[in-house]
Amino acid sequence: MTQTTGADTSPTVLAVSNDSLLLGLLSLFLGGSIWYFLAHNKKKRSPTLPYPIQPPNPHFLLGHAKLLDHTKGPHFDIKLLELAKQLGGVFSLQVPVLVAKTNATYGTVEQGTMIVVADPALIKHVTVTKNFPKSWTMKKNIPLFGETSILLQGDEAWKRLRKTFAPGFTTSFLKDMVAVMCDKLDRFMECIEQEDVRANQPTQMMTRAQTFTSDVIVQIAFGEDWGGTKPHDARGYITEITEGVIFADKDIKTKLFGWEHRRRMKVLEAKIDEVMQQVLDRRLGQLDTKGKINGASTTNSTTTTRNFANVCTLAIDSMRKERPDGVLTEEDRTVIVHQLKTFYFAGHDTTATTISWAIWLLSQHPNVLEKLRAELRDRQIFSTPEQRPTYEQLQQCEYLEAILKEVLRLYPPERFVGVPPEEYADKYIPFLKGPRVCLGKYFALLEAKLAISALAQRYDMSCVNPNETISYRITTSPLDGARVQLSMRK
């Protein structure tokens, strides 16, 4: 009996011991973490660094982390703007999830401290005077852009990438690409005409603009035509990855325990990588050993390839020159694939958002629309559907430029007319500034100018939803798609 009882109870005793051990270890870990956080907040790691003012009454464990929670209430960008109005142009927040970073130039930033800068002079220092290292929090975007994306690199790696891909965004290259953009614009306008205007249906401007900008970036960056009227699979992958990044950013359970979510993100990342790898293979197959394009245009079931210079082939040529044998390494191929992913997302979603907000705003401000039309008429831009503007003509449109700037800032465009850029240079930075100014800035502005000009000249427009709101994704896109009713101008 004693033996049986001992045999029966020993597993129970062992189980209790394991649970107790785990509970003890967990308590020790949590207790140690709390002690470290509390103790650390009393003592700065680098007393030589002056820490700016903070909002009052931080939580004893979470600090100011709740202020950055945008699952309920206003987006944290709005909250930071309100704090800047209260606390001044620079302030700091306690965010325990942030870790300390040591840098030879800038010293050690205190564990869990975020410094928010809203002062133009300090912004200039951060963006122009000093090239600060990238935050580790940017790593959440790796599935979207790739680990070696130019957006995620710092120092020497960033400089090399900038040099390699810059030829595809020069003024001379863009001048040659106006005709290509106009080809895509014809398809964009025809789609709106056939499916929206003739059917007397509202135009979902964000959706239409995304199709146009995707069409443009695929042709100019990849050297391919993916159709343009129906979304390519790549757009679906990018959209789902974007939504996944945003969801995980909002949902703490998914961030910590979302194994299935992470698995799905890996699958999507592999799919978009495969698409871009195939693009790279096609470009490599099109080049001879000297980097020149061979043969005539080729077509398969999903793509049409035009034989002219594009961002991808220019980058291949640049990288080949750095290799003694002229052959790309596997690392080179990975780097190119990651930049193609970056250009695809950044090259169509952001510009589509700008076009959509511009048309939505113009549909509610007829006086601004008429001023724009007068300028376009004077410059003979899209005076007839067959007429195509030149790069130089578009650059001369001061009011069109002001409208674009104001869409990226907000109300009214006249503030930019006749005003020297240096007067607002440090306060207006939609493309950032300094060495990290957006590589595709002038590409995006040129594309947007073409689309807005063509739509303004051909159609009268009225707003369907004047209560449109911002959907805070990675870009500030219109939640309802910036719907407008278009009709042929009388």
Side-chain angles (χ1 to χ4, degrees), residues 167-365:
F169 297 94
T170 61
T171 300
S172 59
F173 182 79
L174 291 179
K175 286 181 179 180
D176 292 338
M177 293 299 108
V178 171
V180 179
M181 289 185 181
C182 284
D183 284 345
K184 304 304 179 183
L185 186 65
D186 289 344
R187 181 184 282 173
F188 167 65
M189 299 294 283
E190 179 66 19
C191 188
I192 289 175
E193 179 102 6
Q194 295 294 331
E195 299 184 18
D196 299 338
V197 176
R198 293 188 182 182
N200 197 31
Q201 295 291 324
T203 296
Q204 188 91 355
M205 190 52 65
M206 184 65 186
T207 301
R208 295 297 186 202
Q210 281 180 319
T211 302
F212 165 62
T213 54
S214 175
D215 209 10
V216 169
I217 196 66
V218 166
Q219 188 72 75
I220 294 178
F222 305 169
E224 299 192 348
D225 185 343
W226 288 357
T229 55
K230 301 292 182 183
H232 189 275
D233 287 346
R235 235 176 89 188
Y237 301 148
I238 286 288
T239 299
E240 191 173 347
I241 292 173
T242 303
E243 297 300 331
V245 169
I246 296 166
F247 180 76
D249 203 33
K250 291 182 177 180
D251 190 84
I252 188 65
K253 290 181 181 178
T254 299
K255 189 176 291 187
L256 295 177
F257 308 112
W259 295 285
E260 179 58 30
H261 172 81
R262 283 192 283 272
R263 187 199 66 79
R264 177 60 181 163
M265 294 291 277
K266 286 288 185 184
V267 170
L268 291 167
E269 187 178 5
K271 285 179 179 291
I272 191 67
D273 281 357
E274 183 180 7
V275 171
M276 299 306 166
Q277 187 64 60
Q278 290 169 354
V279 170
L280 175 57
D281 288 342
R282 286 191 287 269
R283 297 294 74 72
L284 287 169
Q286 198 180 10
L287 296 172
D288 63 21
T289 55
K290 296 181 180 179
K292 295 182 179 179
I293 300 173
N294 281 320
S297 297
T298 58
T299 303
N300 60 34
S301 59
T302 58
T303 65
T304 299
T305 298
R306 288 189 181 185
N307 290 345
F308 59 76
N310 53 73
V311 176
C312 186
T313 55
L314 291 172
I316 291 170
D317 183 53
S318 177
M319 283 190 169
R320 276 179 163 179
K321 289 176 180 177
E322 295 179 0
R323 303 298 171 208
D325 56 1
V327 178
L328 297 183
T329 65
E330 282 303 312
E331 182 182 356
D332 292 336
R333 293 171 68 94
T334 298
V335 167
I336 293 175
V337 165
H338 289 174
Q339 308 325 306
L340 295 183
K341 285 168 61 175
T342 301
F343 296 148
Y344 186 64
F345 173 81
H348 87 272
D349 199 76
T350 54
T351 311
T353 298
T354 301
I355 294 169
S356 301
W357 283 120
I359 297 302
W360 181 79
L361 287 166
L362 286 170
S363 72
Q364 299 171 80
H365 295 82

Side-chain angles (χ1 to χ4, degrees), residues 12-306:
T12 304
V13 172
L14 181 61
V16 171
S17 298
N18 283 338
D19 287 346
S20 299
L21 179 61
L22 288 172
L23 184 60
L25 288 172
L26 182 61
S27 300
L28 184 63
F29 173 76
L30 289 175
S33 298
I34 293 170
W35 171 86
Y36 177 79
F37 176 72
L38 292 174
H40 193 81
N41 277 285
K42 292 180 181 178
K43 183 180 179 181
K44 303 213 180 288
R45 286 220 169 178
S46 180
T48 60
L49 288 176
Y51 283 89
I53 188 173
Q54 295 185 349
N57 306 318
H59 190 276
F60 80 102
L61 276 180
L62 301 177
H64 299 105
K66 284 191 174 183
L67 290 174
L68 304 181
D69 179 14
H70 54 274
T71 55
K72 296 178 182 178
H75 190 268
F76 65 77
D77 284 348
I78 303 298
K79 295 178 182 178
L80 293 179
L81 179 61
E82 291 303 315
L83 285 171
K85 291 177 181 178
Q86 297 169 25
L87 303 175
V90 59
F91 59 93
S92 59
L93 301 173
Q94 292 178 22
V95 188
V97 296
L98 298 178
V99 297
K101 290 288 183 180
T102 301
N103 180 278
T105 304
Y106 311 113
T108 302
V109 177
E110 182 185 356
Q111 176 101 8
T113 301
M114 173 189 288
I115 298 175
V116 182
V117 179
D119 177 80
L122 286 174
I123 289 172
K124 182 178 181 180
H125 176 76
V126 171
T127 58
V128 180
T129 309
K130 299 288 185 182
N131 190 0
F132 282 80
K134 284 281 186 176
S135 167
W136 65 270
T137 58
M138 289 288 288
K139 289 184 178 180
K140 68 182 180 183
N141 295 311
I142 285 176
L144 189 58
F145 303 129
E147 193 168 4
T148 67
S149 167
I150 191 171
L151 297 181
L152 308 180
Q153 301 305 304
D155 302 329
E156 294 305 316
W158 166 78
K159 289 178 183 177
R160 286 195 302 273
L161 287 172
R162 184 92 181 188
K163 180 180 178 182
T164 298
F165 288 89
F169 297 94
T170 61
T171 300
S172 59
F173 182 79
L174 291 179
K175 286 181 179 180
D176 292 338
M177 293 299 108
V178 171
V180 179
M181 289 185 181
C182 284
D183 284 345
K184 304 304 179 183
L185 186 65
D186 289 344
R187 181 184 282 173
F188 167 65
M189 299 294 283
E190 179 66 19
C191 188
I192 289 175
E193 179 102 6
Q194 295 294 331
E195 299 184 18
D196 299 338
V197 176
R198 293 188 182 182
N200 197 31
Q201 295 291 324
T203 296
Q204 188 91 355
M205 190 52 65
M206 184 65 186
T207 301
R208 295 297 186 202
Q210 281 180 319
T211 302
F212 165 62
T213 54
S214 175
D215 209 10
V216 169
I217 196 66
V218 166
Q219 188 72 75
I220 294 178
F222 305 169
E224 299 192 348
D225 185 343
W226 288 357
T229 55
K230 301 292 182 183
H232 189 275
D233 287 346
R235 235 176 89 188
Y237 301 148
I238 286 288
T239 299
E240 191 173 347
I241 292 173
T242 303
E243 297 300 331
V245 169
I246 296 166
F247 180 76
D249 203 33
K250 291 182 177 180
D251 190 84
I252 188 65
K253 290 181 181 178
T254 299
K255 189 176 291 187
L256 295 177
F257 308 112
W259 295 285
E260 179 58 30
H261 172 81
R262 283 192 283 272
R263 187 199 66 79
R264 177 60 181 163
M265 294 291 277
K266 286 288 185 184
V267 170
L268 291 167
E269 187 178 5
K271 285 179 179 291
I272 191 67
D273 281 357
E274 183 180 7
V275 171
M276 299 306 166
Q277 187 64 60
Q278 290 169 354
V279 170
L280 175 57
D281 288 342
R282 286 191 287 269
R283 297 294 74 72
L284 287 169
Q286 198 180 10
L287 296 172
D288 63 21
T289 55
K290 296 181 180 179
K292 295 182 179 179
I293 300 173
N294 281 320
S297 297
T298 58
T299 303
N300 60 34
S301 59
T302 58
T303 65
T304 299
T305 298
R306 288 189 181 185

